[in-house]
Amino acid sequence: MEGKNEQRAGLLYGIGAYVMWGLVPLFWPLLKPSGAIEILAHRMVWSLGVVTIALLAVRRWAWIGELVRDRRKLALISVAAATITVNWGLYIWAVNNGQVVEASLGYFINPLVTIAMGVLLLGERLRPVQWVAVATGLTAVLVLAIGYGRPPWISLVLAFSFATYGLIKKKVNMGGLESLAAETAVLFVPALGFLLWLAATGKSTFTAGGTGHGFLLAATGIVTAIPLICFGAAAVRVPLSTLGLLQYLAPIFQFGLGVVYFKESMPPERWAGFALVWLALSLLTWDALRTARRNRALAVKLLATAAAAPATATPTPEGAAILPGDAAILPSDAAPPGGTTTPAPDAATTTGTETPNPAQQKIT
C-alpha cells in the first residue's frame, strides 16, 4: 500500500511539474517591458537564491567541495550553464515575440534530436522503429520549413541546445537541485553584473516598473525552481517509462496556448508538419513501451529461473526433483516500482535501448 501511495504521489508531482512548465508561456509576457536578456539575468540571480534556501532545508552541501576539486566536472558545469543560458534566453524571447507554437515544436522534436546525437556522438545503435521515427521527424522539419518559408530556427536552436545540455548533464551526473545550484552559481556574477550595469545606465525596469513588476521579476527564481523540485520528487517515485510519457504534457500545453490563447497562425502546411512530428513521437513512445515491457518480462523470467535453481537439487518427499519449469512465474508487479535506475533530474537520456526520459527534458 505504501508503495502505491508513493507512486501516486510521484505521478502527481510529475504531472504538476510538466503542467507548470507547460503553462509558463503565460508568465513571461507579464514581465514586459523588460527585455528577454534582463528577464534571463533576473532568472539566474533569483534562482540561485531559491535553490540555496532549498539546499539549506535539505542540508546537502558535501557535493560543493567535490565539484570544486573536480576541474573536469566544473568545466562541464560551466559549459552546461552557457548552453542552458542560450535555451532559456531564446525561449523567453520567442514567447514574448509571438512564437509560442514554434517554441513548443522545439520541445516536441527534442527527443528526436537527443536520439540523433546519441547515434552521432555516442555511437549508439537504433532499433528499426527508432530509425523510422527519426526519418519522420526530419521530414516534418522540411515540411515546416516550407510552411514557414524558412527553417524553424527557433525550434531547432531550442531542441539542439537542450539536447546538448542534456548530453553534458549525462556526463556530469548530478542531482537536479545541486545541478541547478551549480549552474546558477556559475551564471550569478555575469548576470548580476549585467543587472547592475542596466541600473547604472538607467535602463533597468526592476524598480522603474513599480513594486509589482519588481516582485514578478524576483518570482522568476520560484518559477524556475519549483517545477524542478517537483520533478525531482517524481523521478524517485515513478518508473522511467511514466516520466517518458509525462514529458509530452509541457509542449502539448504550450502548443495549445499558442493556438488557442495567443491565437498564432496555423496554416495547413504547419498542421501537416506538426502531425508528422506527433507521428514520430508516437512511434518512439510505442517502441519504448514495447521494449520496456519485453525487458521487464525477461527480468521476471530470469528472477524466476534464479529462484528455482537452488531447488533443482532438492528432492521432494516422493524423491522427484523440482524442475525449473515448475516454478511459479512472478507477477508483473513483483518488480520494484521504477525498477530501472532513474537518472538524476536534468540528466539527458539517449535512446539506444532505453526509454526516452523527460527528465532530462526539463522544459523551460
Side-chain angles (χ1 to χ4, degrees):
M1 179 63 71
E2 184 178 349
K4 289 185 177 180
N5 289 338
E6 282 291 293
Q7 285 201 33
R8 189 178 298 113
L11 185 63
L12 292 175
Y13 279 125
I15 292 172
Y18 282 106
V19 168
M20 282 187 277
W21 279 323
L23 296 178
V24 78
L26 296 173
F27 178 71
W28 302 126
L30 299 178
L31 303 180
K32 292 179 179 180
S34 299
I37 304 301
E38 183 179 5
I39 296 171
L40 177 63
H42 276 286
R43 186 177 189 180
M44 295 170 181
V45 169
W46 296 107
S47 293
L48 181 61
V50 174
V51 295
T52 300
I53 293 171
L55 287 171
L56 283 171
V58 297
R59 298 180 180 179
R60 292 210 298 259
W61 301 105
W63 60 272
I64 297 177
E66 297 173 5
L67 178 61
V68 171
R69 290 190 295 271
D70 191 335
R71 292 185 179 180
R72 177 181 175 275
K73 184 175 284 191
L74 193 59
L76 288 172
I77 282 290
S78 300
V79 176
T83 307
I84 201 62
T85 297
V86 173
N87 187 275
W88 284 359
L90 179 59
Y91 184 80
I92 295 168
W93 179 88
V95 170
N96 284 355
N97 283 272
Q99 301 294 332
V100 177
V101 168
E102 189 174 347
S104 74
L105 176 64
Y107 294 107
F108 275 125
I109 66 175
N110 176 252
L112 299 170
V113 173
T114 300
I115 290 173
M117 291 181 70
V119 173
L120 297 174
L121 301 179
L122 303 180
E124 295 185 351
R125 298 172 63 185
L126 298 187
R127 296 182 292 273
V129 175
Q130 292 175 315
W131 278 115
V132 172
V134 172
T136 304
L138 288 174
T139 305
V141 171
L142 291 175
V143 171
L144 287 164
I146 295 171
Y148 279 104
R150 57 170 175 79
W153 67 273
I154 294 174
S155 307
L156 293 173
V157 173
L158 287 175
F160 275 92
S161 62
F162 198 77
T164 302
Y165 172 75
L167 180 64
I168 297 168
K169 296 301 292 279
K170 185 178 180 68
K171 294 181 179 297
V172 172
N173 192 27
M174 289 178 64
L177 192 59
E178 294 88 344
S179 174
L180 182 62
E183 289 158 23
T184 50
V186 169
L187 299 169
F188 179 81
V189 172
L192 183 61
F194 178 73
L195 293 177
L196 292 175
W197 176 80
L198 285 180
T201 56
K203 297 177 181 178
S204 174
T205 63
F206 182 62
T207 54
T211 304
H213 185 71
F215 275 121
L216 284 174
L217 285 172
T220 55
I222 298 174
V223 168
T224 300
I226 296 301
L228 180 61
I229 292 170
C230 289
F231 176 82
V236 298
R237 288 176 170 85
V238 298
L240 205 59
S241 56
T242 302
L243 288 177
L245 294 174
L246 290 178
Q247 72 170 310
Y248 299 122
L249 283 176
I252 287 172
F253 272 95
Q254 293 167 7
F255 176 80
L257 285 174
V259 174
V260 178
Y261 182 80
F262 293 103
K263 301 189 183 305
E264 295 183 19
S265 173
M266 282 294 293
E269 58 272 20
R270 208 168 292 176
W271 279 111
F274 269 87
L276 286 172
V277 170
W278 296 331
L279 173 61
L281 294 178
S282 298
L283 290 171
L284 275 185
T285 303
W286 172 77
D287 181 67
L289 291 176
R290 182 187 63 168
T291 303
R293 193 179 301 114
R294 183 187 302 157
N295 291 342
R296 187 170 182 174
L298 179 61
V300 169
K301 189 178 294 185
L302 290 174
L303 283 173
T305 302
T312 56
T314 305
T316 62
E318 292 77 16
I322 300 176
L323 301 175
D326 296 329
I329 300 298
L330 296 175
S332 60
D333 59 358
T340 337
T341 303
T342 304
D346 296 337
T349 302
T350 49
T351 326
T353 54
E354 298 174 0
T355 304
N357 181 11
Q360 342 82 60
Q361 316 266 348
K362 182 184 72 169
I363 309 296
T364 310

